[in-house]
Amino acid sequence: MLSPALPESCDVLVVGAGPAGSACASKLAGAGLDVLLVDAQAFPRDKVCGDGLIPDAHAALRGLGVYDEVMALARHVAHVRCVAPRGGAVSVPGTLAVLPRRQLDDLLCRAERRAGARFEAPVRFEAPLLDGERVVGARLKAGGAAHEVRARWVVLATGAVPQALINAGLCERRTPSGVALRGYVKNAAMVGHIDQLELVWHPRLKGGYGWIFPAPDGVFNIGTGLTGSHVTGRDGRGSMQDVNLRRMFDAFCDVYAPARELMAGGTLVGELKGAPLRCSLLGARWSRPGMLVTGEAAGSTYAFSGEGIGKAMETGILAAEALRQGLDDDAGVRAHYDTALRALAPRFALYEKAAHVNERPWLADLVIWRARKSPRILRRMSGVLEETQNPGRLLSWRGIGKLMFE
Ligand SMILES: Cc1cc2nc3c(=O)[nH]c(=O)nc-3n(C[C@H](O)[C@H](O)[C@H](O)COP(=O)(O)OP(=O)(O)OC[C@H]3O[C@@H](n4cnc5c(N)ncnc54)[C@H](O)[C@@H]3O)c2cc1C
């Protein structure tokens, strides 16, 4: 059965209208392809996130031609303030901003429609349509009814919830790489006091960190997150039973006075909400004939910091570039995409290693203490943030060891 709004066929069906899906659909429609983008949720929709736009996101937004539009709405920020367990802090300069995902994703999705793609929501991807082993479209659900849409390619950009990946036969690990919880707090009195992206490490937040990000209109995004073996277990399979993010959030407010003040004097807007993360380009196969996986579904979020908006857009654009090689060349498209993601993999691997700072918060004391004394190290930290410098020189054990002797 076909909904009046859903076509029978298209060149590319993109599933998921987060940053990855919208970026991919925009680029494909801009190249003249017939693109249908669908999302399980009606837009605008909320997405549990810290809403921080780091330099890679700025670059991707420019590449999509929406930078000025986003920055006209966003809260501009000039530094990341890293706070160590013993209270030492360093402000790392960077090109940064904060915009709630409800607004950002809606804006990206509207840009995708301007580029010529169609968008339908709420429409859920249920399963791929197959011709032998090749994906030739998808079974979708909209308004309680099932619909089949044939497509020359399907792109899965369904984020960190693995159900669509499982249904598509591409999930290699159901457990997320991380989990995080965030809330919005309105507190006009704190506006002049917290004007950087604040990241806080502490033994009571071991395995992750706490953050406060200043959003527009006197609102702050505050949260805590965990990655690594605390979530996946030592064997990598793990269960989420022992993860209590609410307790971690309370610990953050106990150990960090600005978090306590923000919560005590502010008004919580909505609830505290948690969500999974999929990191380090792990946990899923990136393609099968007729289908590519992109964004966080492909693990495009950084393990150390949990940041992923920029890399979601970047991988979505890479998927579009691979498809533009020629939709009829299955092997060519898959090889092109595989090569592009592999080129990013070393950077993700270094961020995975850097997560040892989350495991051993005393390392944050050391790095921040050294950065406060050395403008060169501070510049290097800024270079890693801006992605103009290889993170290996700073984030690896070797890099940390060298810090001691420079
Ligand atoms: C608490 C928290 C804080 C974070 N903070 C930051 C931060 O400050 N900065 C940063 O850069 N990153 C942050 N991240 C990571 C960031 O949220 C993700 O990297 C990013 O959202 C990934 O984008 P995406 O487009 O791949 O997926 P998503 O943004 O998750 O979009 C996926 C879309 O797919 C849709 N979908 C899912 N399944 C289906 C289906 N079956 N059918 C149809 N549609 C479907 C969903 O409705 C959704 O709209 C944070 C994550 C969490 C959990």
Side-chain angles (χ1 to χ4, degrees):
M1 188 184 151
L2 203 66
S3 139
L6 286 171
E8 263 173 66
S9 65
C10 59
D11 287 332
V12 184
L13 168 65
V14 181
V15 183
S22 283
C24 182
S26 281
K27 286 291 179 190
L28 290 170
L33 292 170
D34 174 21
V35 181
L36 172 65
L37 174 68
V38 297
D39 198 286
Q41 301 182 59
F43 269 53
R45 60 102 177 87
D46 198 14
K47 157 75 178 86
V48 176
C49 186
D51 306 326
L53 298 171
I54 63 167
D56 65 351
H58 289 241
L61 292 168
R62 283 186 201 280
L64 291 168
V66 292
Y67 183 77
D68 292 340
E69 235 181 305
V70 170
M71 289 307 142
L73 298 174
R75 169 85 146 81
H76 296 232
V77 180
H79 294 88
V80 175
R81 184 164 184 268
C82 301
V83 183
R86 288 164 187 261
V90 68
S91 292
V92 183
T95 312
L96 308 157
V98 181
L99 183 64
R101 291 289 299 277
R102 187 179 173 83
Q103 286 167 279
L104 176 73
D105 290 18
D106 193 42
L107 194 153
L108 290 172
C109 189
R110 277 190 275 122
E112 165 270 344
R113 275 173 275 166
R114 275 203 309 270
R118 280 167 290 179
F119 175 58
E120 297 297 337
V123 174
R124 176 172 291 280
F125 166 87
E126 298 266 300
L129 296 178
L130 296 176
D131 179 0
E133 276 305 295
R134 193 182 191 282
V135 174
V136 291
R139 201 175 70 238
L140 305 173
K141 200 155 195 182
H147 307 271
E148 290 189 353
V149 173
R150 297 188 78 79
R152 292 164 76 189
W153 279 84
V154 177
V155 178
L156 274 196
T158 43
V161 175
Q163 194 56 52
L165 279 176
I166 295 167
N167 295 0
L170 291 170
C171 187
E172 291 183 326
R173 196 200 62 226
R174 291 176 181 222
T175 319
S177 336
V179 285
L181 175 92
R182 73 95 174 95
Y184 289 114
V185 182
K186 197 164 175 69
N187 188 333
M190 296 296 275
V191 169
H193 298 288
I194 300 175
D195 56 5
Q196 307 183 17
L197 302 188
E198 302 212 341
L199 304 182
V200 180
W201 285 270
H202 193 276
R204 286 186 60 198
L205 310 174
K206 193 172 166 208
Y209 65 85
W211 74 81
I212 305 176
F213 292 172
D217 306 322
V219 173
F220 295 83
N221 183 314
I222 175 170
T224 46
L226 269 179
T227 56
S229 60
H230 293 264
V231 179
T232 58
R234 284 186 188 281
D235 59 3
R237 282 189 275 142
S239 71
M240 306 269 292
Q241 291 160 6
D242 296 332
V243 176
N244 188 333
L245 284 173
R246 185 59 218 230
R247 202 181 306 143
M248 190 180 176
F249 186 87
D250 292 342
F252 180 39
C253 295
D254 269 357
V255 300
Y256 190 53
R260 200 163 51 245
E261 275 171 51
L262 184 69
M263 293 303 289
T267 312
L268 197 60
V269 184
E271 301 161 65
L272 292 177
K273 284 188 190 162
L277 299 116
R278 291 177 79 83
C279 303
S280 308
L281 293 180
L282 298 173
R285 278 161 58 208
W286 298 337
S287 72
R288 61 181 286 184
M291 180 176 267
L292 299 181
V293 179
T294 198
E296 199 163 14
S300 68
T301 298
Y302 281 146
F304 168 48
S305 58
E307 280 142 347
I309 300 170
K311 286 289 170 285
M313 289 186 278
E314 216 173 300
T315 57
I317 293 168
L318 291 175
E321 282 169 3
L323 289 165
R324 284 168 57 182
Q325 299 302 300
L327 299 183
D328 295 327
D329 178 8
D330 271 15
V333 167
R334 293 180 69 201
H336 187 101
Y337 188 51
D338 194 73
T339 305
L341 290 195
R342 267 181 215 294
L344 292 177
R347 176 170 287 274
F348 278 94
L350 285 165
Y351 274 83
E352 177 83 29
K353 282 192 189 148
H356 50 227
V357 173
N358 297 340
E359 290 295 327
R360 298 166 189 80
W362 58 267
L363 273 175
D365 277 315
L366 172 73
V367 175
I368 289 166
W369 172 72
R370 287 292 290 130
R372 280 165 67 95
K373 297 175 94 136
S374 161
R376 196 148 63 95
I377 291 173
L378 188 59
R379 269 201 306 279
R380 210 181 283 169
M381 287 169 91
S382 180
V384 170
L385 182 63
E386 294 284 347
E387 301 207 333
T388 53
Q389 160 120 30
N390 182 342
R393 293 190 57 203
L394 193 68
L395 301 179
S396 64
W397 278 115
R398 213 164 134 231
I400 289 171
K402 276 177 74 182
L403 280 185
M404 295 302 293
F405 304 106
E406 277 189 1

